[in-house]
Amino acid sequence: MTSLHVVILAAGQGSRMKSAMPKVLHRIAGKPMLHHVIDTARTLGAEGIHGVIGHGADQVKAITPADGVQWALQEQQLGTGHAVAQALPALPDDARVLILYGDVPLTRPETLEALVSQVSEDSLGLLTVTLDNPDGYGRILRNEAGQVTSIVEQKDATEAQKTVTEVNTGILAVSARHLKDWLPQLSNSNAQGEYYLTDIIAIAADRGVGIAVAQPGNEYEVQGVNNRLQLAELERWYQRQEAGRLMTEGATLADPGRVDVRGNLSVGQDVLIDINVVFEGNVSLANDVSIGPNCVIRDATIGRGTHIEANSIVDGAVIGSGAQVGPFARLRPGTKLADSTKVGNFVETKKAEVGEGSKINHLSYVGDATLGRNVNVGAGTITCNYDGVNKYRTVMGDGVFVGSNTALVAPVSLADNVTIGAGSTITRDVGTGELAVARGRQRNINNWERPVKKD
Ligand code: UD1
Ligand code: CA
């Protein structure tokens, strides 16, 4: 048996979420729970991933990238055994099958690998956990020799069985051949009138198939989400883990409880992250980067020693080393800041390439623009890139100096070492070394008599 197939149960309604959205689409760290599980299956090298869906099936399919996931529709939720049976026809006979749940998002691959490695014609792997309060879970029953003999659901359990604290996580790994043999044998004559997947354990024990039990390193790994409280608990656990990882990798966090990573964040050494920073998408911070408080950093690459000051938003930007951004800056997608650049407060950039050593220090909008090296953009400069229909570029050569409160009406190009007088509205290209002034000329009027108040 070589190939691994993962079946993910995700057909339930999740009514306790009180949501129009299927439960498995609720997010942990910005990603739908189901996608966490799919990604885990990929990490395990699954050859097939089978999602069993029912409630909100169309929504689930619409939001899940189709590549590599096969869907099985469970029209009526007749129990976990019935759910797995819907995926059976798609499972090769010689596959090892791992059963996961769309609402149990954070199981570690290592934990599951240990389970999968147990699967053969003679044995299966079962993930259990021992809880202080086992209420609601299926209980693991063992014989005098300590071998697992069956699982009894809470609602079917005797008082004595309810005292057992080792419970079923629901996660198990078993050969497809066995599933195909055993699932059709399930009956629904039990307290809930459901086809219980858990009943295959008694069948396995009966047939002399060994039941190898593994336990997760942490309870949260097998914690399912039934309501928004549990969703928030898992979110916090996830974030604590991420914070721990960042610190291990050399970042100082002002408060490990006040940084949120919703995506993939990589950090170099001596990175400083102040409080209330949210990272989204793919972000990489080189050595000695610092991020001030209350920043949102999304899909960005930030070079060595660059400082992002408080309250800045960096989105879809590539920033070189030794740059300074913010406070209160907003870099939008397509922004490329070279080394030693400065983008200051209340500056917005979009599709802007800014050359080495250039500065846009205050109150400006620079969009669809290319700036050379050592350009100085004065306060209140606006690239007028949009005529209401089309967008146009503004180009500046090296050493350009733009006076404050300038409107650059694109398309327009300023050659090297151009100077623009403050308050100009520039509509025509300016040649190398030229000064352009485009504003009303100042008149000074002598002996000006101020108006006086009429009686
Ligand atoms: C199940 C286990 C129980 C275990 C517990 C762990 C069974 C019979 N019981 O109980 O031993 O301790 O999980 O949380 O398996 N689902 C479907 N289709 C169905 C039924 C369920 O897709 O027809 C999905 C649900 O969406 C859910 C998961 O399977 O994600 C578990 O189903 P649920 O009914 O919640 O099982 P439990 O009663 O919690
Ligand atoms: Ca449940």
Side-chain angles (χ1 to χ4, degrees):
M1 269 186 293
T2 47
S3 75
L4 171 66
H5 283 246
V6 174
V7 176
I8 303 172
L9 302 195
Q13 182 167 22
S15 50
R16 277 174 285 168
M17 294 300 282
K18 305 254 166 70
S19 174
M21 188 165 69
K23 175 164 75 174
V24 295
L25 297 186
H26 283 262
R27 291 164 190 264
I28 300 274
K31 184 160 80 176
M33 290 194 279
L34 176 62
H35 296 188
H36 281 274
V37 183
I38 291 171
D39 288 350
T40 303
R42 294 227 165 89
T43 305
L44 293 169
E47 210 154 285
I49 301 175
H50 309 266
V52 180
I53 49 179
H55 280 282
D58 291 338
Q59 266 175 286
V60 173
K61 280 200 265 189
I63 205 174
T64 305
D67 58 319
V69 181
Q70 269 180 277
W71 301 110
L73 189 65
Q74 187 194 25
E75 280 175 26
Q76 273 185 297
Q77 280 70 62
L78 303 179
T80 48
H82 179 260
V84 175
Q86 307 313 302
L88 274 190
L91 301 176
D93 285 350
D94 63 349
R96 294 170 297 165
V97 182
L98 173 66
I99 316 275
L100 300 177
Y101 298 81
D103 58 359
V104 182
L106 300 183
T107 322
R108 285 196 184 103
E110 305 86 284
T111 301
L112 297 170
E113 259 155 21
L115 215 59
V116 168
S117 69
Q118 298 295 335
V119 178
S120 71
E121 291 305 334
D122 307 318
S123 93
L124 61 81
L126 179 67
L127 192 65
T128 74
V129 64
T130 302
L131 299 175
D132 292 340
N133 175 12
D135 211 42
Y137 291 91
R139 308 296 206 280
I140 306 296
L141 304 184
R142 293 173 181 266
N143 63 20
E144 309 79 58
Q147 290 153 333
V148 174
T149 54
S150 65
I151 297 174
V152 62
E153 292 302 298
Q154 163 102 12
K155 286 182 178 147
D156 300 289
T158 63
E159 288 310 311
Q161 288 167 337
K162 282 182 193 162
T163 63
V164 173
T165 55
E166 185 187 7
V167 306
N168 176 31
T169 64
I171 295 172
L172 59 90
V174 58
S175 83
R177 217 181 298 276
H178 285 327
L179 275 182
K180 290 182 181 197
D181 179 12
W182 299 340
L183 287 181
Q185 299 177 35
L186 297 182
S187 108
N188 66 349
S189 47
N190 50 53
Q192 302 183 78
E194 289 183 4
Y195 296 94
Y196 292 161
L197 175 64
T198 45
D199 284 350
I200 69 169
I201 297 300
I203 300 176
D206 212 45
R207 304 285 165 86
V209 173
I211 296 156
V213 168
Q215 293 220 330
N218 191 298
E219 273 178 32
Y220 286 109
E221 285 191 59
V222 295
Q223 164 93 59
V225 170
N226 291 310
N227 56 45
R228 294 182 200 243
L229 266 106
Q230 290 169 332
L231 186 71
E233 271 170 33
L234 277 194
E235 176 76 36
R236 282 307 105 205
W237 182 64
Y238 180 92
Q239 296 301 346
R240 274 200 302 281
Q241 303 281 108
E242 277 294 280
R245 175 183 68 81
L246 296 174
M247 293 186 287
T248 307
E249 289 173 8
T252 293
L253 306 184
D255 181 352
R258 283 185 289 173
V259 56
D260 279 48
V261 181
R262 302 172 191 156
N264 305 307
L265 171 61
S266 76
V267 292
Q269 290 187 11
D270 297 307
V271 161
L272 272 173
I273 300 173
D274 214 320
I275 59 168
N276 297 335
V277 178
V278 176
F279 295 95
E280 297 182 342
N282 294 312
V283 174
S284 114
L285 309 180
N287 291 354
D288 305 311
V289 163
S290 71
I291 311 286
N294 308 319
C295 290
V296 177
I297 316 286
R298 178 186 302 130
D299 293 322
T301 303
I302 302 180
R304 186 173 189 138
T306 285
H307 301 299
I308 311 292
E309 308 288 352
N311 300 301
S312 293
I313 297 182
V314 174
D315 182 6
V318 177
I319 307 176
S321 60
Q324 196 181 323
V325 173
F328 294 99
R330 181 177 181 208
L331 309 188
R332 291 169 52 202
T335 296
K336 287 186 187 155
L337 306 183
D339 297 346
S340 308
T341 46
K342 275 185 80 177
V343 171
N345 37 221
F346 307 107
V347 172
E348 175 182 349
T349 63
K350 185 214 75 171
K351 286 191 186 154
E353 292 184 29
V354 180
E356 190 176 337
S358 291
K359 296 176 179 147
I360 314 167
N361 275 336
H362 337 263
L363 297 160
S364 292
Y365 171 62
V366 176
D368 299 306
T370 305
L371 279 61
R373 297 154 67 102
N374 301 315
V375 169
N376 192 317
V377 175
T381 296
I382 306 292
T383 54
C384 309
N385 60 328
Y386 186 50
D387 62 7
V389 185
N390 295 303
K391 302 263 171 78
Y392 301 97
R393 286 197 80 75
T394 299
V395 178
M396 301 182 207
D398 296 340
V400 166
F401 182 97
V402 180
S404 296
N405 202 32
T406 290
L408 300 164
V409 182
V412 71
S413 136
L414 315 180
D416 290 348
N417 300 313
V418 156
T419 304
I420 305 293
S424 292
T425 297
I426 300 295
T427 56
R428 287 191 290 126
D429 291 354
V430 185
T432 306
E434 290 177 345
L435 163 69
V437 187
R439 62 181 183 229
R441 197 173 266 281
Q442 180 171 333
R443 282 193 302 150
N444 293 355
I445 296 167
N446 285 333
N447 303 319
W448 175 251
E449 286 187 22
R450 291 188 184 174
V452 289
K453 189 136 187 136
K454 289 183 179 142
D455 292 333

